[in-house]
Amino acid sequence: MLKVAIIGTGAIAPSHIKGYKEFSESCEIVALCDIYPEKAEKAAKEYDLNVNIYDDHQKLLESEDVDLVSVCTPPYTHAEISINSLNAGVHVIVEKPMASSLEECDAMNEAAKKSGKLLSVIAQNRFRTSMMKLKQVLDTELMGPIVHTQVDSFWWRGYSYYDLWWRGTWEKEGGGCTLNHAVHHIDILQWMKGMPSEITAVTSNTAHDNAEVEDISIAIGKYEDGSLAQITSSVVHHGEEQQLIFQGKNARVSAPWKVTASKSKENGFPEEDLELEEKLQKVYGELAEVEYEGHPGQIQDVLLAIQGKKELLVDGQQGRQTLELITAIYQAASLKETVKLPLTEESPFYTREGSLKNATYFFEKKNSVSNFSDTTITTGSDKA
């Protein structure tokens, strides 16, 4: 029986608690930790957990015999807590985004390598039936080479969303909608299509002048084969219609699921390719449903990997690649340049300090422009 601790008992923690409870035959939650222990006590009572409560993750690691921790704290704390846990010989599941910088990602992956323990980064949308089936359809290559990918990560958040002390700050949240909302779709993009070779991007803050960060970004990724990926990240889109569309040479498929195929008439104009559409639809329809979706699916993946029954679907290297693509978007938009991938230690955004220094995002307020890169940030509670 694996012993589990959850560090950070804010808004995302219930997804982990409920996920672990799905697998009570394999694991049990033995401890909760939050810098405000009353929040942990409230969570323990709400979910009927017989656990020890801690207000410091180091105290937990020193006092508890745990096998696995879930790190559910604000992004700027992910690296420290994950590295300390790995060094203590504990497996780690860390919430998205993996860390505040590529430097921190590399340190986390190095700690996992040295400790021999598993590091998994939450990417729960990979574990949804629609995404698993779409990935398997793409893997058949029936569509032909992908020539264009459209990623619409459309969300809507009101003005007060950024009133929470750590949200909307470069120092604590690490970025805006590109990092903290589109991270799921960007992860799916790099999982299904791979990493582009270069990125061009523009960002803006159009409706949330109580935040330092962007509330919309538009990026274009170019691949070595010449294909393009169009990535829009937003918290200003009413209706929140989100989609990923893969345009192949022979057909188009997407999530939400839709398939359309065309073939050429003699004069080059299109006509519907019903045979290919039916073939793709048949492949999709025959694929199995996912038994556990979302967080439970990823938690099951980690539990099975700890037991040696499979490889992790989302390890620290996968988590780093997603952050690398997001970092490239910020670098391209901030410095108004096309950014070549992969990013190395030479990137001005490789470190957290570099990102804070170079993320020159502005928005207008009363006909003036404010630069928040030097703003003093106050401290406060864990993720709420």
Side-chain angles (χ1 to χ4, degrees):
M1 181 73 69
L2 294 172
K3 297 181 179 179
V4 177
I6 296 175
I7 302 173
T9 55
I12 201 62
S15 296
H16 290 250
I17 293 171
K18 294 173 185 176
Y20 287 118
K21 293 187 85 167
E22 291 272 4
F23 307 102
S24 57
E25 74 288 350
S26 301
C27 64
E28 64 174 335
I29 302 171
V30 298
L32 299 179
C33 177
D34 198 289
I35 59 172
Y36 293 106
E38 62 272 16
K39 290 174 60 181
E41 290 167 359
K42 181 181 178 182
K45 182 177 180 180
E46 181 176 355
Y47 293 99
D48 192 27
L49 300 175
N50 181 21
V51 295
N52 294 320
I53 304 294
Y54 295 87
D55 62 3
D56 182 275
H57 78 276
Q58 286 282 38
K59 294 178 185 176
L60 185 156
L61 293 171
E62 293 167 1
S63 303
E64 287 285 342
D65 177 23
V66 293
D67 303 293
L68 171 64
V69 299
S70 274
V71 180
C72 302
T73 55
Y76 76 100
T77 65
H78 287 178
E80 178 186 4
I81 296 172
S82 297
I83 290 169
N84 289 341
S85 299
L86 290 163
N87 289 342
V90 178
H91 302 288
V92 172
I93 300 176
V94 61
E95 263 297 334
K96 60 81 183 172
M98 180 176 176
S100 297
S101 69
L102 295 177
E103 181 183 44
E104 291 179 343
C105 291
D106 289 341
M108 293 163 72
N109 282 322
E110 182 62 23
K113 181 179 178 181
K114 286 184 176 179
S115 69
K117 298 301 177 180
L118 299 180
L119 170 63
S120 184
V121 181
I122 286 292
Q124 76 270 23
N125 284 354
R126 292 196 191 190
F127 296 86
R128 300 197 184 282
T129 292
S130 58
M131 296 302 177
M132 286 287 188
K133 292 175 75 167
L134 178 59
K135 176 68 164 66
Q136 292 178 74
V137 168
L138 290 172
D139 288 345
T140 67
E141 300 184 348
L142 288 170
M143 298 169 55
I146 304 301
V147 295
H148 177 256
T149 305
Q150 181 179 330
V151 180
D152 293 338
S153 187
F154 293 165
W155 306 81
W156 191 92
R157 292 294 182 270
Y159 192 83
S160 60
Y161 177 76
Y162 287 105
D163 287 344
L164 188 61
W165 65 273
W166 57 269
R167 278 200 192 124
T169 67
W170 284 107
E171 183 180 354
K172 295 294 189 287
E173 195 173 18
C177 57
T178 315
L179 178 67
N180 294 294
H181 288 80
V183 59
H184 297 296
H185 291 96
I186 292 172
D187 174 74
I188 295 293
L189 168 66
Q190 70 93 2
W191 177 44
M192 293 190 179
K193 179 70 172 76
M195 293 287 283
S197 57
E198 62 182 53
I199 287 286
T200 306
V202 178
T203 65
S204 185
N205 186 309
T206 62
H208 300 87
D209 64 5
N210 57 339
E212 304 169 5
V213 296
E214 86 286 354
D215 59 15
I216 187 169
S217 72
I218 299 174
I220 301 295
K222 186 174 183 179
Y223 289 81
E224 291 288 356
D225 61 5
S227 63
L228 299 178
Q230 173 185 334
I231 308 163
T232 303
S233 312
S234 168
V235 286
V236 298
H237 274 72
H238 298 275
E240 299 190 329
E241 297 99 341
Q242 299 157 18
Q243 60 181 352
L244 292 102
I245 303 173
F246 294 89
Q247 298 281 357
K249 187 176 180 181
N250 304 324
R252 166 243 205 248
V253 293
S254 66
W257 175 251
K258 180 181 178 181
V259 56
T260 304
S262 304
K263 56 186 178 181
S264 179
K265 296 180 180 179
E266 187 175 344
N267 63 1
F269 282 78
E271 65 177 354
E272 196 171 15
D273 188 342
L274 292 175
E275 182 179 354
L276 181 54
E277 286 183 10
E278 291 172 2
K279 185 179 294 186
L280 285 164
Q281 186 64 55
K282 185 173 186 292
V283 170
Y284 186 86
E286 290 177 349
L287 291 170
E289 299 283 312
V290 173
E291 183 178 5
Y292 295 101
E293 291 198 310
H295 279 80
Q298 185 155 1
I299 286 171
Q300 182 191 43
D301 184 75
V302 173
L303 295 175
L304 291 174
I306 291 173
Q307 296 165 13
K309 296 181 179 179
K310 69 179 300 295
E311 296 292 322
L312 283 176
L313 179 61
V314 194
D315 61 11
Q317 292 299 328
Q318 283 285 298
R320 186 198 189 279
Q321 284 189 185
T322 298
L323 188 65
E324 180 181 8
L325 188 45
I326 292 168
T327 300
I329 292 172
Y330 284 139
Q331 181 174 329
S334 296
L335 304 185
K336 297 179 172 59
E337 63 181 18
T338 295
V339 174
K340 301 290 186 180
L341 293 169
L343 295 181
T344 68
E345 295 180 12
E346 301 304 314
S347 164
F349 279 66
Y350 177 74
T351 66
R352 183 199 282 188
E353 293 75 20
S355 296
L356 287 169
K357 177 182 177 182
N358 289 291
T360 53
Y361 288 86
F362 299 88
F363 62 81
E364 293 185 359
K365 185 177 183 181
K366 295 181 180 179
N367 297 319
S368 65
V369 178
S370 300
N371 183 352
F372 284 84
S373 60
D374 296 322
T375 302
T376 301
I377 308 298
T378 58
T379 58
S381 170
D382 274 353
K383 184 172 284 187

